């Protein structure tokens, strides 16, 4: 029984059932007509009739005043009785729902009954219940009552959308008197269309919660504006609690049945256990033998492939599926990715790569542990290989330091040192400056992060036949540039690979390509300065974790670059217009120059060019198709005007 019901039941009775605390008027016959109205459950309007009749008959003023007082008391009694009847009906519905829940056999039937009773007791046009779908990541209509629109009944809503999204986010009831005028929640076309088809206006939603989690929302809605009272919100919340309990009970029953089925399979597992232990022992012996005889990573993968009867390969951290790899690293176990299994290879929190078992969706737990042990052995082998490689990394760093610090070096000696490291100083290279952007809690953590960045950069340089060194609080790399690739491509790929390796955002600035470093080592110093400027510009522009070269910054690139690539800037900015004019003999460049000179006014431009305004419009439309729709944006327009002026200096203007 609700608190309101109990409090109402405890009030002492007064004359004619009047509320406690109200003084009963003298029994002079004024109460009789109102008692009769109370007895037959008349409407509130009917209580005006005795007063109106007394006035019509010309009764004394004191008689009419007494009738007015009796009327007020009678209406209060009527309201109290109606409230008690309503609370009794609510309690009855809640008890019936609890009874249904106690004998739960069909979850859908229980939820349907809850929605029906909620609609009936709240007196709404429609009631409905939505549940979260964790598989699809959205919510769907589970039960509706009073709905007439098929599209509304089939709605699927994204998480956080509509009134239900607001209820789910806050785990609190929300009510809107006019859905389409309420801006507190996110409106979407799909939801608004469904609500409009149903004709709903006022909507009340309360959360279905299991512990701290919201699993759905129970709604009551009207097709007209309406104010929901606090008691109605509490009642719908009680129904929501029962619905959540019903769902939880059904889930527990499902889990119990699954547990029983699992027990039935236990005997089969026990029978297979001996064979599994024997296979695990065989794996242990094979891996131990590999380590003792100095086997490599691929030898481990081949051995595990034979044991698991599948294809196992080692993948670099940048090549493995990122989400599955991160999940395996965080959990310390192999995780499934589609039909494959991923086991992270880690050492001291650093991600070294992964062992990937392909095409094996159903993996026995023991086989899963076998894959995990193989990943651990792989990490030990990689650490041993790293110890041997650290000396080589130091040598690579020393060579790059010499290129950066000393200009006068013997080209033959530089080539000889580089060739021993499998690097070709005569090839085209890019100098890259890399730096971590994540905040460090203290100096110790910052130093550790820098060491991890340097280690990752050194590993990357060794695999790419380049050089790497720690410098100026970050890392500098000298990497060869593959044909068909740009410095920007290399910078972005390097930022992504280093960020994946160290699990933090790494920003990378790149120089323009440089060649002939053995004979002109001073180029490395200038290129490093340019890459540092690009790095600082990226950070100032808020592009942490990205990579870029001077060519990415438009006219700023002219200032950042070590050499002013004016021709490249003009080509990137207005090249399509230049080519179009040359092919077709048009005057798009002249028209665009005049357009900017005339303050971007077509009318003044046509006077400047002595052509019709439609001609100007057609030419500008062609410019938009060649340069893109954003060519008139302030930043873009500034670059275009600068390119036009530079082009004018390089090529005599057409007269």
């Amino acid at each position: 029984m609700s608190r309101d019901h109990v409090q109402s039941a405890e009030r002492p009775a007064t004359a004619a059932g009047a509320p406690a605390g109200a003084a009963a008027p003298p029994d002079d016959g004024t109460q009789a007509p109102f008692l009769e109205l109370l007895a037959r459950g008349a409407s509130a309007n009917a209580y005006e009739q005795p007063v109106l009749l007394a006035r019509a008959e010309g009764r004394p003023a004191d008689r009419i005043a007494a009738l007015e007082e009796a009327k007020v008391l009678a209406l209060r009694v009527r309201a109290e009785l109606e409230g008690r009847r309503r609370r009794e009906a609510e309690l009855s519905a809640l008890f019936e729902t609890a009874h249904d829940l106690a004998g739960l056999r069909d979850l859908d039937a229980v939820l349907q009954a809850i929605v029906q009773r909620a609609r009936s007791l709240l007196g709404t046009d429609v009631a409905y219940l939505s549940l979260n779908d964790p598989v699809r990541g959205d919510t769907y209509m589970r039960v509706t009552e009073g709905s007439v629109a098929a599209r509304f009944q089939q709605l699927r809503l994204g998480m956080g959308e509509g009134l239900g999204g607001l209820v789910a986010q806050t785990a609190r009831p929300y009510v809107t008197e006019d859905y389409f005028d309420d801006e507190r929640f996110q409106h979407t076309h799909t939801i608004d269309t469904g609500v409009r088809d149903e004709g709903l206006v006022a909507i009340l939603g309360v959360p279905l919660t299991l512990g701290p989690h919201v699993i759905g929302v129970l709604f009551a809605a009207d097709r007209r504006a309406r104010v929901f009272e606090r008691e109605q919100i509490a009642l719908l919340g009680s129904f929501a609690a029962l619905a959540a309990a019903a769902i939880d009970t059904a889930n527990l029953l499902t889990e119990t049945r699954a547990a029983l089925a699992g027990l039935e399979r236990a005997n089969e597992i026990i029978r297979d256990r001996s064979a599994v232990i024997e296979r695990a022992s065989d794996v242990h012996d094979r891996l131990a033998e590999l380590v003792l005889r100095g086997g490599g990573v691929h030898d481990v993968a081949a051995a595990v492939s034979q044991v698991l009867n599948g294809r196992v390969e080692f993948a670099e951290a940048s090549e493995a599926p990122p989400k599955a790899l991160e999940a395996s690293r965080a959990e310390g176990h192999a995780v499934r990715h589609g039909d494959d299994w991923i086991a992270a290879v880690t050492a001291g929190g650093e991600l070294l790569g992964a062992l990937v078992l392909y095409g094996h969706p159903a993996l026995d737990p023991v086989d899963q542990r076998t894959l995990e042990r193989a990943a651990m052995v792989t990490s030990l082998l990689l650490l041993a290989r790293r110890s041997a490689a650290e000396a080589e990394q130091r040598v690579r760093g020393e060579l790059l330091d010499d290129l950066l610090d000393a200009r006068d070096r013997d080209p033959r000696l530089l080539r000889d040192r580089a060739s021993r490291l499998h690097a070709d100083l005569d090839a085209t290279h890019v100098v890259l400056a890399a730096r971590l952007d994540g905040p460090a809690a203290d100096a110790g953590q910052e130093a550790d992060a820098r060491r991890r960045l340097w280690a990752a950069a050194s590993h990357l340089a060794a695999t790419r036949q380049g050089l790497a060194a720690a410098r100026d609080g970050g890392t500098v790399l000298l990497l060869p540039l593959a044909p068909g690739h740009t410095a920007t491509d290399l910078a972005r790929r390097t930022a992504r690979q280093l960020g994946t390796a160290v699990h933090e955002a790494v920003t990378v600035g790149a120089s323009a390509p440089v060649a002939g470093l053995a004979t002109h080592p001073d180029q490395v110093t200038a290129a490093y300065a340019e890459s540092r400027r690009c790095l600082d510009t990226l950070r100032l522009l808020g592009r942490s974790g990205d990579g870029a070269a001077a060519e990415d910054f438009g006219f700023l690139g002219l200032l950042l670059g070590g050499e002013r690539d004016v021709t490249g800037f003009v080509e990137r900015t207005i090249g399509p217009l230049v080519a179009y004019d040359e092919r077709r003999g048009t005057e798009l460049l002249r028209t665009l120059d005049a357009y900017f000179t005339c303050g971007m006014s077509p009318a003044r431009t046509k006077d400047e060019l002595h052509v019709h305004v439609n001609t100007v419009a057609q030419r500008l439309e062609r410019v938009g198709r060649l340069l893109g729709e954003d060519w008139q944006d302030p930043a873009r327009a500034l670059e275009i005007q600068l390119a036009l002026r530079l082009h004018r200096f390089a090529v005599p203007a057409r007269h």
Side-chain angles (χ1 to χ4, degrees), residues 415-497:
R415 286 193 185 95
D416 183 56
R417 292 174 61 187
S419 65
R420 288 198 296 270
L421 299 172
H422 307 289
D424 181 7
L425 294 183
D426 292 318
T428 300
H429 286 73
V430 173
V431 177
L432 304 114
R435 181 169 294 178
L436 290 167
D437 285 314
D442 52 46
Q445 288 190 4
E446 183 177 359
D448 181 64
R450 289 180 180 178
R451 282 193 295 270
R452 287 190 287 110
L453 176 61
W454 176 79
S458 298
H459 177 70
L460 180 63
T463 59
R464 296 292 180 83
Q465 297 181 342
L467 305 174
R471 200 173 187 89
D472 298 326
T475 299
V476 57
L477 298 94
L478 180 68
L479 298 181
L481 183 64
H485 292 262
T486 66
T488 297
D489 297 334
L490 184 58
R492 288 177 177 167
R493 185 167 62 250
T494 302
R496 185 170 57 253
Q497 291 173 337

Side-chain angles (χ1 to χ4, degrees), residues 57-76:
E57 293 175 352
R59 295 298 182 90
D62 58 346
R63 172 72 174 182
I64 294 175
L67 285 170
E68 286 283 2
E69 184 179 358
K71 180 192 73 173
V72 171
L73 290 174
L75 286 173
R76 290 173 61 186

Side-chain angles (χ1 to χ4, degrees), residues 37 40-48 75 78 82:
L37 291 172
R40 58 187 176 87
S43 67
N45 292 333
Y47 287 74
E48 295 289 344
L75 286 173
R78 178 181 179 276
E82 285 187 351

Side-chain angles (χ1 to χ4, degrees), residues 19-169:
D27 189 5
D28 56 359
T30 57
Q31 298 184 20
F34 297 109
L35 290 174
E36 181 182 352
L37 291 172
L38 286 170
R40 58 187 176 87
S43 67
N45 292 333
Y47 287 74
E48 295 289 344
Q49 294 301 320
V51 179
L52 295 175
L53 181 60
R55 288 176 177 162
E57 293 175 352
R59 295 298 182 90
D62 58 346
R63 172 72 174 182
I64 294 175
L67 285 170
E68 286 283 2
E69 184 179 358
K71 180 192 73 173
V72 171
L73 290 174
L75 286 173
R76 290 173 61 186
V77 171
R78 178 181 179 276
E80 180 72 17
L81 292 175
E82 285 187 351
R84 293 184 181 185
R85 283 194 295 268
R86 184 176 64 252
R87 285 191 288 273
E88 288 173 359
E90 293 171 357
L91 286 173
S92 177
L94 291 173
F95 288 146
E96 290 175 4
T97 304
H99 181 268
D100 293 342
L101 180 58
L104 177 65
R105 294 294 182 271
D106 184 352
L107 177 61
D108 288 334
V110 174
L111 296 180
Q112 187 69 50
I114 289 174
V115 173
Q116 288 175 347
R117 290 165 185 158
R119 179 194 176 205
S120 174
L121 288 175
L122 269 69
T124 57
D125 297 322
V126 182
Y128 52 100
L129 185 148
S130 67
L131 293 179
N132 297 348
D133 187 342
V135 176
R136 295 181 56 172
D138 60 4
T139 64
Y140 65 96
M141 290 290 190
R142 178 64 182 268
V143 181
T144 63
E145 179 67 21
S147 172
V148 296
R151 178 155 43 185
F152 180 79
Q153 297 166 14
Q154 298 169 3
L155 273 180
R156 295 192 75 96
L157 317 177
M159 293 296 188
E161 296 177 352
L163 178 64
L166 184 61
V167 174
Q169 285 179 345

